[in-house]
């Protein structure tokens, strides 16, 4: 059985009664009247013609592609968020290139070089503090037409990219204020590592509500282990906290189990 020949721009042009250049303009850069555009697109669909996005990108045109550079692991809803984003972009006709950055600068830099070579139309990038200070990463980002950065840090003055800043300080302050309003006076925060803005909000909240104590924060060994100091207080019967704030869901689940094991609600 003979292999079916791919439909070309010339085939679409001949069937539509226009020049090949007109068809090229429909799928690239250049003006085409709405009537002609509609006519060409209808014929292309009928013939089964699909424009070569990569070739169009090499000529400087749109590739209808978006790069998504995100950290997909960890105790948060990144996978769900990225999945929803790709679905919405697909409905708009975009191809998605998704890479798990693992917040590793080597992966970020290699991925950006690949995205640039593909001439993507835009980038959605979850950036950590080190990324925003790395000259090589910033230089690569400037070679991409449209960049949106998701970060929990306020970008530096004059930062050349659009940013979505996910505030961590305001929610922390609201949590402390809520617990204080319920009469909780001895709070403990369990976290492996805190961002300065979130820790500052926590201390500010305790100070304003006049419930700041010397042992209001304990450091965990990793993302899921509870601080040995906290467990030691439980064992010694000296656990005086009436509320515990955890940095993630995993520690929260471990804390609930631990307190249940000790007969505490």
């Amino acid at each position: 059985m003979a292999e079916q020949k791919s439909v070309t721009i010339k085939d679409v042009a001949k069937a539509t009664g226009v020049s090949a250049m007109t068809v090229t303009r429909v799928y690239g850069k250049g003006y085409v009247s709405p009537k002609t555009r509609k006519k060409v697109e209808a014929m292309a669909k009928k013939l089964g013609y699909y424009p070569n996005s990569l070739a169009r990108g090499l000529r400087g045109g749109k590739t209808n592609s978006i790069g998504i550079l995100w950290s997909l692991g960890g105790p948060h809803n990144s996978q769900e968020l990225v999945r929803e984003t790709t679905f919405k972009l697909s409905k708009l006709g975009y191809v998605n290139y998704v890479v798990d950055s693992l917040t590793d600068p080597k992966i970020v830099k290699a991925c950006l070089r690949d995205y640039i070579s593909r001439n993507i139309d835009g980038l959605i990038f979850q950036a950590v503090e080190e990324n925003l200070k790395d000259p090589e990463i910033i230089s690569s980002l400037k070679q991409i037409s449209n960049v949106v950065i998701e970060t929990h840090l306020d970008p530096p003055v004059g930062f050349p990219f659009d940013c979505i800043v996910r505030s961590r300080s305001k929610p922390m302050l609201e949590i402390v204020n809520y617990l204080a309003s319920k009469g909780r006076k001895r709070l403990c925060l369990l976290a492996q590592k805190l961002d300065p803005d979130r820790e500052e909000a926590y201390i500010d909240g305790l100070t304003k509500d006049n419930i700041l104590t010397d042992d209001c924060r304990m450091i965990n060994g990793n993302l899921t282990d509870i601080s040995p100091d906290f467990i030691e207080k439980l064992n010694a019967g000296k656990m005086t906290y009436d509320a515990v704030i955890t940095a993630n869901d995993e520690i929260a689940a471990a804390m609930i189990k631990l307190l249940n094991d000790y007969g505490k609600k």
Side-chain angles (χ1 to χ4, degrees), residues 162-182:
D162 291 329
C163 289
I164 298 173
V165 179
R166 181 179 57 190
S167 172
R168 294 185 177 182
S169 57
K170 184 179 178 182
M172 177 61 76
L173 188 59
E174 290 177 350
I175 289 170
V176 173
N177 291 340
Y178 173 78
L179 291 172
S181 72
K182 296 298 181 181

Side-chain angles (χ1 to χ4, degrees), residues 14-249:
K14 183 177 180 180
T16 312
V18 298
S19 67
M21 182 56 69
T22 298
V23 178
T24 300
R25 289 196 185 102
V26 169
Y27 294 101
K29 294 182 178 180
Y31 173 77
V32 179
S33 70
K35 182 178 179 181
T36 301
R37 180 180 295 276
K38 187 175 181 181
K39 187 177 175 183
V40 170
E41 289 176 343
M43 183 57 68
K45 184 176 181 180
K46 180 180 179 180
L47 295 177
Y49 169 73
Y50 299 98
N52 187 324
S53 296
L54 181 58
R56 195 164 67 243
L58 293 174
R59 294 193 299 267
K62 286 189 64 177
T63 57
N64 282 3
S65 61
I66 299 292
I68 299 176
L69 185 51
W70 209 272
S71 177
L72 300 178
H76 42 64
N77 65 340
S78 283
Q79 293 184 35
E80 181 181 346
L81 180 62
V82 170
R83 184 183 299 116
E84 184 177 349
T85 301
T86 57
F87 283 164
K88 290 183 177 180
L89 288 170
S90 294
K91 288 181 179 179
L92 294 172
Y94 286 95
V95 173
N96 301 287
Y97 297 119
V98 181
V99 173
D100 185 353
S101 71
L102 301 175
T103 65
D104 184 333
K106 291 183 179 179
I107 294 177
V108 170
K109 292 174 184 179
C111 180
L112 289 176
R113 288 194 294 269
D114 179 64
Y115 282 165
I116 291 168
S117 71
R118 294 175 183 274
N119 194 28
I120 59 173
D121 296 329
L123 171 69
I124 301 172
F125 177 30
Q126 181 194 50
V128 295
E129 183 176 5
E130 297 89 314
N131 300 151
L132 303 183
K133 295 180 179 179
D134 191 308
E136 184 179 341
I137 291 177
I138 297 300
S139 176
S140 294
L141 291 174
K142 288 180 178 179
Q143 298 179 57
I144 300 173
S145 300
N146 303 286
V147 175
V148 176
I149 294 176
E150 189 271 357
T151 177
H152 63 272
L153 299 170
D154 288 327
V157 176
F159 196 62
F161 310 105
D162 291 329
C163 289
I164 298 173
V165 179
R166 181 179 57 190
S167 172
R168 294 185 177 182
S169 57
K170 184 179 178 182
M172 177 61 76
L173 188 59
E174 290 177 350
I175 289 170
V176 173
N177 291 340
Y178 173 78
L179 291 172
S181 72
K182 296 298 181 181
R184 308 292 178 171
K185 302 297 183 183
R186 289 277 301 174
L187 273 59
C188 177
L189 175 65
L190 290 175
Q192 179 193 22
K193 177 183 177 182
L194 268 186
D195 299 300
D197 54 346
R198 188 158 64 167
E199 183 174 13
E200 184 178 351
Y202 174 64
I203 300 299
D204 283 349
L206 295 177
T207 303
K208 290 175 183 176
D209 289 311
N210 198 29
I211 54 176
L212 181 65
T213 60
D214 292 336
D215 58 350
C216 63
R217 180 188 170 198
M218 293 190 177
I219 305 298
N220 290 325
N222 56 43
L223 286 173
T224 57
D225 287 345
I226 295 173
S227 166
D229 292 334
F230 189 95
I231 296 175
E232 184 180 342
K233 281 180 175 288
L234 276 175
N235 287 330
K238 298 178 180 179
M239 216 287 285
T240 58
Y241 299 116
D242 54 17
V244 179
I245 302 172
T246 65
N248 59 56
D249 295 338

